[in-house]
Amino acid sequence: MTTLSDREFADIQALLYREAGIKLAPGKKPMVSGRLSKRVAALGLPTYGAYYERIAHGRDPAELQRALDLLTTNETYFFREPKHFEFLRDQALAKRGAGPMRVWSAASSSGEEAYSVAMVLAATLGDSPWEVVGTDISARVLEQAVSGRYPMARTQGIPAEYLKRYCLKGVRSQEGHLLVDRSLRERVAFKLANLVEPQAQLGLFDVIFLRNVMIYFDQAIKQQVVANLLPRLKPGGYLFVGHSESLNGVSDALASVRPAIYRKE
């Protein structure tokens, strides 16, 4: 099979930036080659350039989605950055009895963050109305998120109380895996969404999690993504980012209230 040329890599870099706002570093060329090679071969294409032509001009939207699935990085785990979930619990307590609480996990990957949020809301709000929406650009990881099934090794961050109340331990053929309880799964909706585009159809939220995704964006895309999210955040609502991220120079419509937590004025 042909190797990935510098020109072909540059074309794929530009495509990923255009479609997802992600800027691949030059050192990612071997990664791109490795992740796309099976698709190029499966389609019987002679070069990566031919594959690029297939996905770049709207000829094959399904294959473009496969390429995005392969090229985007999805790393997450349950109750990542626990202080954020303590703050969320306090906000849920304050919200109790004051109408539905809606939380958006805006880069939900395989669903661990969204289900962590759901466990906190279920434990805090009980039968009071609440909803969690999880979105991601990768259809592949959203399939796992919808299933709610995870290897036990991935669940170490779940507090023991929540593990007992909201998770089912697999037995026999499912041994070594955990399933999020159906009552919780039914309260979480997962949708395909590209954050570089407005998401008006999702409605308004009290809290938006945008954690550990802006590290893949340049300043212009960060500004665009946050500008797209702001109309979806209620006045007085909170935006959470990763602890290695900042909104300095990104938006002046949000005020820092805690480490990596911002409030919409």
Side-chain angles (χ1 to χ4, degrees), residues 10-23 52 55-58 64 68 137 194 196-197 221 224:
D11 285 340
I12 292 170
Q13 277 182 306
L15 174 69
L16 189 60
Y17 184 79
R18 185 167 67 248
E19 295 291 335
I22 297 172
K23 200 164 190 176
Y52 169 79
I55 63 177
H57 307 296
L64 173 60
L68 293 175
I137 196 171
N194 187 338
V196 301
E197 301 170 354
I221 297 297
Q224 182 178 345

Side-chain angles (χ1 to χ4, degrees), residues 52-71:
Y52 169 79
E53 290 299 322
R54 179 160 182 159
I55 63 177
H57 307 296
R59 290 172 48 203
D60 193 340
E63 188 60 36
L64 173 60
Q65 182 60 57
R66 291 189 188 95
L68 293 175
D69 288 349
L70 291 168
L71 294 174

Side-chain angles (χ1 to χ4, degrees), residues 76-257:
T76 186
Y77 46 88
F78 286 95
F79 288 90
R80 188 176 189 173
E81 300 170 5
K83 291 291 184 183
H84 282 175
F85 293 97
E86 294 175 13
F87 188 88
L88 176 67
R89 181 198 60 209
D90 293 342
Q91 299 311 307
L93 284 169
K95 179 76 174 180
R96 190 161 54 185
M101 183 166 187
R102 301 188 76 232
V103 179
W104 179 11
S105 173
S108 63
S109 187
S110 46
E112 288 91 332
E113 179 179 86
Y115 287 126
S116 299
V117 170
M119 290 179 198
V120 171
L121 297 186
T124 307
L125 296 176
D127 293 332
S128 298
W130 58 268
E131 180 186 8
V132 179
V133 176
T135 65
D136 203 273
I137 196 171
S138 171
R140 174 178 52 86
V141 295
L142 288 177
E143 289 180 6
Q144 180 177 359
V146 170
S147 76
R149 180 178 178 271
Y150 302 95
M152 289 296 296
R154 297 259 301 275
T155 63
Q156 294 179 354
I158 303 176
E161 176 191 358
Y162 293 164
L163 196 61
K164 182 177 180 180
R165 290 177 65 180
Y166 304 120
C167 303
L168 305 172
K169 185 177 181 180
V171 296
R172 294 187 290 277
S173 65
Q174 298 300 314
E175 187 174 357
H177 288 80
L178 170 149
L179 181 67
V180 176
D181 189 79
R182 177 179 294 180
S183 63
L184 209 66
R185 283 184 279 130
E186 290 176 345
R187 303 287 291 272
V188 184
F190 290 100
K191 305 174 186 293
L192 193 67
N194 187 338
L195 297 180
V196 301
E197 301 170 354
Q199 301 295 327
Q201 76 281 1
L202 297 180
L204 297 176
F205 295 90
D206 300 279
V207 174
I208 297 176
F209 281 72
L210 182 69
R211 304 191 307 168
N212 307 300
V213 64
M214 287 195 295
I215 54 175
Y216 301 108
F217 300 147
D218 62 19
Q219 192 74 356
I221 297 297
K222 289 177 184 179
Q223 292 171 346
Q224 182 178 345
V225 167
V226 172
N228 287 339
L229 264 62
L230 278 174
R232 309 275 58 82
L233 186 62
K234 296 178 182 177
Y238 294 93
L239 176 68
F240 293 52
V241 301
H243 279 301
S244 62
E245 300 168 322
S246 169
L247 294 186
N248 290 338
V250 175
S251 174
D252 57 6
L254 297 148
S256 176
V257 295

Side-chain angles (χ1 to χ4, degrees), residues 17-39:
Y17 184 79
R18 185 167 67 248
E19 295 291 335
I22 297 172
K23 200 164 190 176
L24 288 174
K28 296 294 185 181
K29 183 180 174 182
M31 180 272 286
V32 170
S33 176
R35 292 188 181 182
L36 295 184
S37 61
K38 289 183 179 180
R39 290 306 304 159

